[in-house]
Amino acid sequence: MILRISVAIAGLAVVALGILLIPLPGPGWFIVIGGLAIWAVEFTWAKKLLNFTRRNVRAWTHWIARQPWPLRSVIGVVGLVFVAFVVWASVKVSLDIDLITETRDFFGW
C-alpha cells in the first residue's frame, strides 16, 4: 500500500510539473510521459495509456520517415512556427515583453 501511494504521489508530481511546462519551450510532454511511466509501475490504466502513447509516437515517426522531403520540410517549418509562437506568447504573458517589437527596435526596422 505504501508503494502504491508513493508511486501515485511521485507520478502526480512529475505529471503536474510536465503540464506546467507544456506551454513553455522545452520537454513538457517528455516530462508528462515520464510521470505516466512512473504511474505505469503500479497502475494498469497508466500502463495502457503509456503503451498507446508509445505506439502512436512510433506510428507518427514512421509515417514522417516515409514522406517525401518537401512534405517533411513543410511539417518541420510548421513545427518551428508553432514553437516560435509558443516562445513569443510565453515571454509576452510571463514577462510582458513583446519579442517582435524588441527585435524591430534592436535592428532599427
Side-chain angles (χ1 to χ4, degrees), residues 41-97:
V41 168
E42 196 62 32
F43 301 106
T44 305
W45 63 267
K47 189 169 191 161
K48 289 179 182 178
L49 184 57
L50 185 61
N51 288 334
F52 172 81
T53 303
R54 284 181 183 158
R55 204 170 40 251
N56 284 303
V57 167
R58 282 189 195 119
W60 170 255
T61 304
H62 293 329
W63 181 82
I64 290 289
R66 290 190 312 266
Q67 302 311 307
W69 70 267
L71 180 58
R72 284 188 281 175
S73 298
V74 168
I75 292 169
V77 168
V78 169
L80 287 174
V81 168
F82 176 74
V83 169
F85 174 76
V86 169
V87 169
W88 172 81
S90 297
V91 171
K92 180 72 174 158
V93 170
S94 301
L95 305 174
D96 198 29
I97 298 172

Side-chain angles (χ1 to χ4, degrees), residues 16-29 31:
L17 175 65
I19 288 172
L20 289 174
L21 293 176
I22 286 173
L24 303 174
W29 282 110
I31 294 171

Side-chain angles (χ1 to χ4, degrees), residues 98-109:
D98 187 351
L99 291 177
I100 296 171
T101 305
E102 293 295 324
T103 302
R104 276 195 229 152
D105 292 345
F106 180 79
F107 288 110
W109 296 337

